[in-house]
Amino acid sequence: MTPAIPCTVQLLCRNNAASIGACLDSLGEFAEVIVQDGSSTDGTREIALVHPNVRIIDQNRAYIDASSRITDFASMRNESIAAARHDWLFVVDADEAVTPAQTDEVRSIVQRGIPGVFVASRRFVVDGKVIDRCSGYPAEQIRLFHRSLTHGYVKTVHERLHLKNGVTTQHLQEELLVPLPPASSLPAKHARYLDMEVRRLGVVGMGRWTRWILLRNLRTAAGLLLRIAWIRLTPTRATIMPLRYELPYVAHVLRTIVRTFPPFVAANIRRYGDDAGTKR
């Protein structure tokens, strides 16, 4: 029997009964899977407990709101890093599934015994079809790392791993397949993340807002629209991302400019106090 990979998989979930079974089935070769559950009520926990390598940890209530939504992703992820029984960690979402080829690649890296930090390229899946061309490609994230090389995660939303000085990243060769939820769910998801970002930023100076939000987001939106147009105007047999997924993200980028506009945020704080981040 092949020994388990001495690596802890980190997985956040809440009411993911529809997908978590397939996800955990694909992680059977890993020694430990920490499932941080946010008070699921749809059978997610029961499905997870069927898998012998799973350890469930309740999400810390200090980092969730009254609706059991995470308000501090960095702190939540840092808790599972601290709880992990292995120094190698592999980050997987509850609606993803790791391919056998990627499992073999991770096994090879871990068995090599040289600490590292690895970026995974993500390939989106819509209606069962792998998307070849998308304005958001390359979609890359750090997904495999040795905890001795990091200071943990930072930022409450859109969290990122803070690497120690001198640490560089490498790339996994195998792509991670990411099934996307129905496009109709995207506006609510984007709005929730934007609320969190507004709370995190508070009122910023006009100079900083202009440089780091206005100009950056305008460039991002323009770049996305140009890539969307180029993908559709270039003859191809490749599967392209449907517009129902592309355009909501462009709208989210532009909406961020308005929602973080300093006078707007300041007026909301005067009117709503601590709830300003949720008022639109």
Side-chain angles (χ1 to χ4, degrees):
M1 182 177 178
T2 304
I5 304 171
C7 173
T8 295
V9 178
Q10 179 189 75
L11 192 152
L12 297 175
C13 71
R14 178 178 178 271
N15 290 338
N16 292 108
S19 61
I20 198 169
C23 174
L24 294 175
D25 286 345
S26 75
L27 299 170
E29 294 188 36
F30 289 83
E32 179 183 48
V33 179
I34 292 181
V35 173
Q36 287 179 275
D37 182 59
S39 303
S40 292
T41 58
D42 66 344
T44 292
R45 295 172 72 98
E46 290 76 11
I47 294 171
L49 287 172
V50 171
H51 299 78
N53 60 341
V54 165
R55 180 157 59 104
I56 292 182
I57 297 177
D58 290 327
Q59 292 179 7
N60 190 328
R61 301 201 67 82
Y63 309 130
I64 60 178
D65 62 18
S67 301
S68 296
R69 297 283 188 181
I70 296 176
T71 58
D72 187 340
F73 282 92
S75 295
M76 195 70 78
R77 289 196 181 279
N78 287 336
E79 291 212 332
S80 63
I81 292 177
R85 292 170 179 158
H86 301 278
D87 287 329
W88 280 98
L89 287 102
F90 188 35
V91 182
V92 178
D93 289 339
D95 56 357
E96 298 172 347
V98 178
T99 65
Q102 191 163 59
T103 297
D104 290 343
E105 183 179 13
V106 172
R107 179 188 293 278
S108 176
I109 291 170
V110 172
Q111 289 181 340
R112 206 178 301 153
I114 303 174
V117 177
F118 292 82
V119 172
S121 295
R122 299 178 299 155
R123 185 71 63 172
F124 300 124
V125 180
V126 175
D127 299 330
K129 297 179 181 178
V130 177
I131 301 300
D132 300 310
R133 303 182 70 182
C134 168
S135 67
Y137 287 162
E140 298 178 333
Q141 290 180 341
I142 293 175
R143 289 299 190 100
L144 176 67
F145 60 93
H146 194 280
R147 62 181 165 189
S148 68
L149 301 180
T150 83
H151 294 292
Y153 283 91
V154 295
K155 295 183 65 177
T156 56
V157 62
H158 305 308
E159 72 280 12
R160 62 178 177 82
L161 205 57
H162 183 199
L163 304 182
K164 292 183 177 178
N165 288 339
V167 174
T168 58
T169 59
Q170 304 172 67
H171 278 76
L172 295 174
Q173 297 302 308
E174 297 296 328
E175 293 180 323
L176 186 65
L177 297 181
V178 184
L180 295 182
S184 59
S185 69
L186 295 180
K189 178 181 178 180
H190 291 157
R192 186 168 68 252
Y193 284 160
L194 184 50
D195 285 343
M196 294 172 64
E197 185 71 2
V198 171
R199 286 197 187 96
R200 185 183 72 84
L201 289 173
V203 181
V204 300
M206 283 297 295
R208 181 185 174 195
W209 176 82
T210 300
R211 290 191 304 273
W212 294 104
I213 299 177
L214 175 62
L215 296 179
R216 178 180 290 185
N217 282 37
L218 285 176
R219 284 196 298 268
T220 298
L224 289 170
L225 289 171
L226 286 173
R227 287 195 291 274
I228 290 169
W230 178 78
I231 287 170
R232 279 158 175 76
L233 293 174
T234 304
T236 180
R237 292 185 178 181
T239 304
I240 64 176
M241 180 68 80
L243 282 176
R244 68 180 186 274
Y245 284 92
E246 296 273 29
L247 296 182
Y249 184 68
V250 177
H252 168 69
V253 171
L254 294 173
R255 193 174 292 115
T256 300
I257 296 173
V258 177
R259 289 286 313 284
T260 58
F261 183 51
F264 181 83
V265 177
N268 267 352
I269 290 176
R270 287 194 298 270
R271 184 175 181 184
Y272 300 108
D274 291 339
D275 292 331
T278 65
K279 304 302 178 182
R280 294 184 286 279

